[in-house]
Amino acid sequence: MSLNRVLVPVKRVVDYAVKIRVAGGKVDTNVKHSMNPFDEIAIEEAVRLKEKKLAKEVIALTVGPSKSNETLRTALAMGADRGVHIEVPEGSEVLPLQVAKLIKAVAEKEKPELLLLGKQAIDDDSSQTGQMLAGLLGWPQATFASKVEVAGDKLTVTREVDGGLETIASKLPAVVTTDLRLNEPRYATLPNIMKAKKKKVEKLTPKDLGVDVTPTIETVKVIEPPKRAGGIKVESVDELLSKLKNEARVL
Amino acid sequence: ASTLVLVEHKNDAVASSTLNAITAATKIGGSVTALVAGSAPDAVAKSVAGLQGVNKVLVAKHDAYAHALPETLAPLIVAATKAGSFTHVVAPHSAFGKNVLPRAAALLDVNQVSDVIGVEGEDTFVRPIYAGNAVATVKSKEPIKVITVRTTAFPAAASGGSASTESAPSADTASPTEWIKEEIAKSDRPELGSAKVVIGGGRGMKNGENFKLLYDLADKLGAAVGASRAAVDAGFVSNDLQIGQTGKIIAPELYIAVGISGAIQHLAGMKDSKCIVAINKDGDAPIFQVADYGLVDDLFKAIPDITSKVDKI
């Protein structure tokens, strides 16, 4: 027995390797973007379930401006079967609860048995969407997963918690959020990138799904964090210990 | 304002993260009520009632709360929030708080403000974004402000209080999730997240066995030992030791980075340390740009040397 559908929401974010600059009271986002790294892990896990014949179809979903289409294409090139793009105007911010409501609306239509999400997006670092989605759907949740096992309608997940690991089990359908060590995502190969261009992407708007995405949290300002003043180099262990004791007074 | 704080606890002891969360709650102003849920919560409830800043403790005793599953804790938070008409709900931004609180926020139909490092008013909070490379001030227009707080940004609440204790309202305790087991590293050393001194090892440690050098020094300094993502990914040490954007965020009095080059993702987890020492044989390593004291040396010589000399100072 295999799952009919795995739904994987993905987010287009500023590329993890880009040095963030704050200008004019906001983060300069006119830079290279790519798929949120934790979402790549989620897509990889879903595609592996399909390759192991544990799932029949992988659907990638994104909420974002028209450029998010590229992120969806990356997911399709990695092996997702089709995409859903919930398009919002460029520059508009959709908060986690509203993203969760949009995903829920799609989930109710597509009826996936498993929802796989990244544990957090590396732009707003909120770490909320998966948990909120599970709450809205009334489904079990397994966050920060480092191992996911699906057998029939049973899900067993090893989670990364403070101090070690925790294992939980639940019935499907369920929501799983991925941690760093779940897998190593593949690179999309050129033939697969070409093939992905032919895969179907359904376009929707928040209005189509009946969700009001007006932000309820306003960003008042964004600043650069205070810079650490550069320190000094010491010549020896003795000098280091002396400085730590007499100057920094931390020993 | 009236704030409900979700208490994190383990093995009959209040987690240190709770003490920081209570301080953050007192900064909002108004009353602070602590919610303790567990299968045998009485000892923890008693400790929490003795913390300064706590006005009242709500206790929920049920086997369903034994393993802090969000499926049972979230409905309890919602029931307690509605019964007490709380304006704010606070939890630490720990693995526990991150897991539970967004689910409760969704059931309350509000957005959450995550990883708060500053409270500027009842509705205005400061939080890092982009792994701490930018700091945002945000204003929540939600009727109930649900926030998780970065523990290192707030001092621990002191003991010396005497709050009253009462039963929490009851909530649905059915859970679709079953807790199977946990593998928690047992250690006599201080907790990484709250230690005054932390020693971090990186790829330069070369293997897991060499971390003994760091443990020997840690024992002398009463320090915790952590690692960079590179060291964890290379399999030197387990993932719960990782310091960085995707691991633990720490801010000790003294952080000693050993054989760590200083990738952005590591800096995000330790740059709020009061004093940073870097020991690396590569003098151009970026870690030296944030270190208060840098020592360009072979760590395999320097660390044993430090360990043998710290006693004498």
Side-chain angles (χ1 to χ4, degrees), chain B residues 44-111:
Chain B
V44 170
K46 202 175 160 216
S47 313
V48 173
L51 291 170
Q52 279 182 31
V54 178
N55 303 103
K56 200 195 318 183
V57 180
L58 295 176
V59 184
K61 184 175 175 172
H62 195 288
D63 285 345
Y65 302 135
H67 298 292
L69 293 172
E71 291 85 344
T72 55
L73 282 182
L76 174 67
I77 295 164
V78 172
T81 304
K82 288 186 173 162
S85 303
F86 291 104
T87 57
H88 293 69
V89 182
V90 173
H93 194 67
S94 56
F96 161 81
K98 279 193 271 189
N99 190 31
V100 173
L101 213 61
R103 188 172 178 117
L107 298 180
L108 289 166
D109 197 27
V110 297
N111 268 297

Side-chain angles (χ1 to χ4, degrees), chain A residues 233, chain B residues 202-204 257-262 277-288 293-299 302-303:
Chain A
K233 284 207 175 124
Chain B
R203 201 194 299 273
V258 183
I260 288 177
S261 64
V277 170
I279 300 170
N280 198 313
K281 66 180 178 193
D282 174 9
D284 295 326
I287 190 78
F288 288 115
Y293 302 106
L295 176 64
V296 182
D297 200 355
D298 178 3
L299 71 93
I303 296 298

Side-chain angles (χ1 to χ4, degrees), chain B residues 247-268:
Chain B
K248 299 259 185 343
I249 310 275
I250 60 163
E253 298 281 310
L254 172 62
Y255 178 63
I256 307 176
V258 183
I260 288 177
S261 64
I264 293 175
Q265 107 89 29
H266 183 71
L267 301 184

Side-chain angles (χ1 to χ4, degrees), chain A residues 54-73:
Chain A
L54 290 168
K56 291 190 183 115
E57 188 184 31
V58 176
I59 307 169
L61 174 159
T62 196
V63 178
S66 62
K67 282 177 188 158
S68 294
N69 188 47
E70 294 161 20
T71 310
L72 220 39
R73 291 290 165 197

Side-chain angles (χ1 to χ4, degrees), chain A:
Chain A
M1 181 186 152
S2 64
L3 310 179
N4 286 318
R5 249 163 249 116
V6 181
L7 181 60
V8 187
V10 296
K11 186 178 187 183
R12 177 179 181 267
V13 297
V14 169
D15 187 85
Y16 74 96
V18 168
K19 190 164 162 38
I20 299 300
R21 286 194 321 125
V22 178
K26 59 191 186 90
V27 171
D28 177 12
T29 53
N30 198 11
V31 292
K32 187 188 174 201
H33 282 63
S34 54
M35 191 192 298
N36 178 41
F38 292 105
D39 302 349
E40 285 184 348
I41 295 171
I43 287 283
E44 176 66 35
E45 195 66 15
V47 171
R48 287 186 192 187
L49 286 173
K50 193 185 166 188
E51 288 168 347
K52 284 187 250 173
K53 308 256 183 270
L54 290 168
K56 291 190 183 115
E57 188 184 31
V58 176
I59 307 169
L61 174 159
T62 196
V63 178
S66 62
K67 282 177 188 158
S68 294
N69 188 47
E70 294 161 20
T71 310
L72 220 39
R73 291 290 165 197
T74 305
L76 297 173
M78 287 175 71
D81 297 288
R82 59 187 169 93
V84 178
H85 185 173
I86 302 167
E87 196 167 336
V88 296
E90 177 72 43
S92 57
E93 187 187 17
V94 187
L95 295 175
L97 180 64
Q98 282 65 43
V99 172
K101 286 180 177 179
L102 292 168
I103 299 169
K104 175 178 181 254
V106 173
E108 281 167 349
K109 207 168 65 163
E110 301 283 359
K111 305 211 178 335
E113 293 94 336
L114 181 62
L115 266 155
L116 265 168
L117 299 87
K119 75 162 179 177
Q120 73 189 69
I122 61 163
D123 48 5
D124 65 21
D125 287 329
S126 285
S127 192
Q128 297 175 12
T129 305
Q131 298 89 310
M132 288 183 151
L133 180 58
L136 294 177
L137 287 163
W139 289 8
Q141 72 182 56
T143 52
F144 325 140
S146 61
K147 190 176 176 193
V148 175
E149 289 169 289
V150 174
D153 67 344
K154 202 180 164 200
L155 172 76
T156 308
V157 173
T158 303
R159 308 178 53 232
E160 297 200 3
V161 295
D162 293 332
L165 300 170
E166 176 184 83
T167 306
I168 55 172
S170 70
K171 286 245 172 102
L172 294 168
V175 174
V176 172
T177 77
T178 61
D179 215 318
L180 211 54
R181 275 164 283 272
L182 180 59
N183 61 47
E184 277 195 37
R186 71 196 64 192
Y187 290 102
T189 60
L190 189 60
N192 285 339
I193 292 169
M194 298 313 289
K195 258 190 257 173
K197 290 188 202 268
K198 295 191 189 109
K199 289 182 179 174
K200 197 181 132 220
V201 171
E202 181 186 4
K203 288 219 178 201
L204 295 167
T205 64
K207 208 176 157 200
D208 295 335
L209 297 168
V211 177
D212 178 4
V213 294
T214 312
T216 50
I217 294 173
E218 177 199 344
T219 300
V220 181
K221 64 171 177 180
V222 175
I223 58 164
E224 267 185 64
K227 288 235 184 332
R228 280 192 84 93
I232 56 157
K233 284 207 175 124
V234 294
E235 294 302 319
S236 66
V237 163
D238 292 326
E239 190 189 348
L240 175 65
L241 290 173
S242 158
K243 293 271 189 204
L244 291 179
K245 186 167 184 254
N246 303 315
E247 197 174 88
R249 297 178 190 277
V250 286
L251 279 186

